[in-house]
Amino acid sequence: MLRLAPAGTRAIVDMSYARHFLDFQGSDIPRAMQKLVVTRLSPNFREAVTLRGDCPVPLPGDGDLLVRNRFVGVNASDINYSAGRYDPSVKTPFDIGFEGVGEVVALGLSASARYAVGQAVAYMAPGSFAEYTVLPASAAAPVASLQPQYVTLPVSATTAYISLKELGGLSEGTKVLVTAAAGGTGQFAMQLAKKAGCHVIGTCSSDEKSAFLKSIGCDRPINYTTEPVSTVLKQEYPKGVDVVYESVGGAMFDLAVDALAIKGRLIVIGFVSGYQTPTGLSPVKAGTLPAKLLKKSASVRGFFLNHSLSKYQAAMDHLLKMYAGGDLVCKVDLGDRSAEGRFIGLESVFRAVDYMYMGKNTGKIVVELSRSVSSKL
C-alpha cells in the first residue's frame, strides 16, 4: 500500500503490501508521457496514427518492466498494424510500435530477480512508440549499453535467423537470393547466409546500397535501377537459386519464383510493395504458381515471427553474442541524410515511415527519443 507523504515529496511504495516494486531512485519518472496511438484503421500511417501527450505513464505488474525508451525501431509492417490487418477484431484506439531499446526505470517484484533499475534492455513488445513502455520481463534482453544497433535485433535479425534456420536448409555452396537486401532484415539474411558458406545475391536500389552489401559479404549485388534482376539471374545463374529470402512481393515475388532451382525454397517474410494498398497485397501470378512449383519440385513457405516465439530467446542470445564478438554488422539509419535530418522524437516516426516507403534507408530505420523528461513525480 502507499504511505502518505508530505506535499511535494514522492510517495514510497511499501513492498510488504504493494503489488508493484517501483524503485524511483534516479529514474526521474514523470506523471505523463507522449505516445503514438492508432485512432482509425488505415494503411496510411499519417491518417491512422495520432501523437498524444498527457498519457499516464503505465505501472508495471509483478513480472513486468517499465522501460524509458531511448531508441525505437520502424518496420514496414507498422502500417499493417495500423490498418488492423494482424487482428481484424481490434478496436481503436490502440498503441503501436514493436521494439525498442531503453533503460529499466521501474519493475515488478518478480521481475527484479533478473533485472534492476538503470539496466539497458532491448525488447520486442507492442507499444514501443512511446516515451515509456511496460512489457513482460520475458520479452526483454539485457544489452551492454543504449546503442541504436541493438534495435536491429529483436524483430529484423531474429526473423532472418529463425526463418533461415528453420526453412532455408542452408549449406556450403547454397545459392541464396535476398530481396531488399540492404534493408532492416535483408542485411541479416545476407550475413547469416554468407556465414553458412552460401553464395549470396542481393537486390537493392542504389550504388551506395550495393557498396554496403559488398562490405558485408554479398557475392553479387544487383542494383535493379541499373540492371534488370531477371536478366542478371538468367545469365549468371542459369540453373537457378536454391533459396530466396523474399520481402518485396508483387513482380519481385514472380521473378523470384521463376528464378528457383530444382527443389528451390522461397521464404516469404513480407510483401512490402502491397502494404500501402487497401488490401495490403500487390498482384502476383498466382494462377501459374502450382505448375511452376510442381515443375521444379520447389516450395513457397511463409514465415511470421510470432509463430516461432518458442525459438525467439535462443535466437536473441545467439545474435547478441555475434554482435558482441564483432561477427555481425547491425546497420542503422537514423535519418541523418533525410531532407529534414535525423529522426528525433516520436513526431519524427511519421517521417521515418515515409522515408522507408520511399526506399531511402540503408539498414534498419531507428528513431531516437530525447533524453529529457518533464512533469516529474
Side-chain angles (χ1 to χ4, degrees):
M1 96 186 172
L2 286 174
R3 295 174 181 164
L4 295 179
T9 63
R10 185 173 290 160
I12 298 172
V13 176
D14 184 339
M15 285 179 58
S16 63
Y17 296 98
R19 175 169 170 240
H20 305 288
F21 168 51
L22 303 181
D23 182 349
F24 292 113
Q25 184 177 358
S27 57
D28 228 13
I29 305 172
R31 291 187 181 277
M33 67 173 185
Q34 289 187 324
K35 67 177 179 178
L36 294 184
V37 179
V38 177
T39 50
R40 59 170 291 197
L41 298 181
S42 171
N44 183 319
F45 193 83
R46 289 182 179 272
E47 290 181 357
V49 178
T50 301
L51 175 60
R52 288 184 172 172
D54 295 324
C55 298
V57 174
L59 294 176
D62 180 62
D64 297 337
L65 308 177
L66 176 64
V67 174
R68 178 190 289 141
N69 292 313
R70 185 75 178 86
F71 298 98
V72 294
V74 174
N75 294 278
S77 52
D78 286 325
I79 66 171
N80 280 338
Y81 201 62
S82 72
R85 290 178 184 142
Y86 288 154
D87 181 2
S89 67
V90 72
K91 304 295 182 185
T92 58
F94 56 88
D95 299 344
I96 191 168
F98 296 133
E99 68 206 325
V101 164
E103 61 178 324
V104 176
V105 293
L107 68 170
L109 182 56
S110 294
S112 68
R114 290 185 57 214
Y115 292 93
V117 166
Q119 190 164 6
V121 295
Y123 68 86
M124 178 179 69
S128 68
F129 290 163
E131 291 178 311
Y132 294 83
T133 301
V134 162
L135 55 129
S138 59
V143 294
S145 60
L146 297 177
Q147 295 180 24
Q149 286 77 13
Y150 287 117
V151 185
T152 66
L153 301 180
V155 173
S156 297
T158 57
T159 294
Y161 180 83
I162 300 172
S163 66
L164 288 174
K165 185 175 181 181
E166 296 296 313
L167 305 177
L170 303 185
S171 60
E172 187 82 25
T174 299
K175 293 181 176 62
V176 179
L177 170 65
V178 180
T179 63
T185 189
Q187 64 172 321
F188 294 108
M190 175 71 54
Q191 294 178 77
L192 294 168
K194 189 64 182 175
K195 290 181 184 301
C198 302
H199 177 96
V200 190
I201 309 139
T203 69
C204 63
S205 61
S206 71
D207 290 340
E208 178 189 2
K209 293 182 181 183
S210 288
F212 167 64
L213 293 181
K214 287 181 181 178
S215 75
I216 59 173
C218 183
D219 295 289
R220 182 51 164 104
I222 306 174
N223 175 359
Y224 59 76
T225 66
T226 59
E227 293 184 283
V229 177
S230 59
T231 301
V232 172
L233 293 175
K234 287 175 183 176
Q235 291 180 350
E236 299 182 23
Y237 304 93
K239 293 185 178 180
V241 296
D242 304 301
V243 177
V244 183
Y245 184 85
E246 217 294 277
S247 61
V248 177
M252 186 64 78
F253 173 85
D254 291 331
L255 184 157
V257 169
D258 290 341
L260 285 172
I262 301 298
K263 296 187 178 179
R265 304 167 295 283
L266 191 154
I267 305 169
V268 177
I269 61 105
F271 29 92
V272 65
S273 62
Y275 289 172
Q276 292 179 298
T277 67
T279 63
L281 300 168
S282 49
V284 298
K285 297 176 182 176
T288 60
L289 185 59
K292 289 180 178 180
L293 297 179
L294 178 62
K295 184 179 178 180
K296 298 178 179 180
S297 295
S299 63
V300 174
R301 295 283 300 272
F303 180 84
F304 187 49
L305 182 59
N306 285 3
H307 298 149
S308 296
L309 294 183
S310 63
K311 301 175 176 67
Y312 179 81
Q313 193 56 57
M316 269 296 286
D317 292 345
H318 183 77
L319 292 161
L320 283 165
K321 287 178 183 176
M322 288 183 70
Y323 179 62
D327 295 324
L328 195 66
V329 174
C330 297
K331 177 75 170 176
V332 297
D333 191 330
L334 288 155
D336 292 299
R337 299 173 71 176
S338 67
E340 297 176 54
R342 180 175 282 226
F343 303 131
I344 299 179
L346 288 171
E347 63 276 8
S348 70
V349 171
F350 298 97
R351 283 200 300 120
V353 170
D354 291 342
Y355 181 78
M356 172 181 293
Y357 278 93
M358 289 187 289
K360 299 291 187 182
N361 61 297
T362 301
K364 174 89 175 184
I365 296 179
V366 176
V367 174
E368 180 179 3
L369 302 190
S370 173
R371 292 185 179 88
S372 63
V373 292
S374 57
S375 184
K376 310 292 189 298
L377 280 170

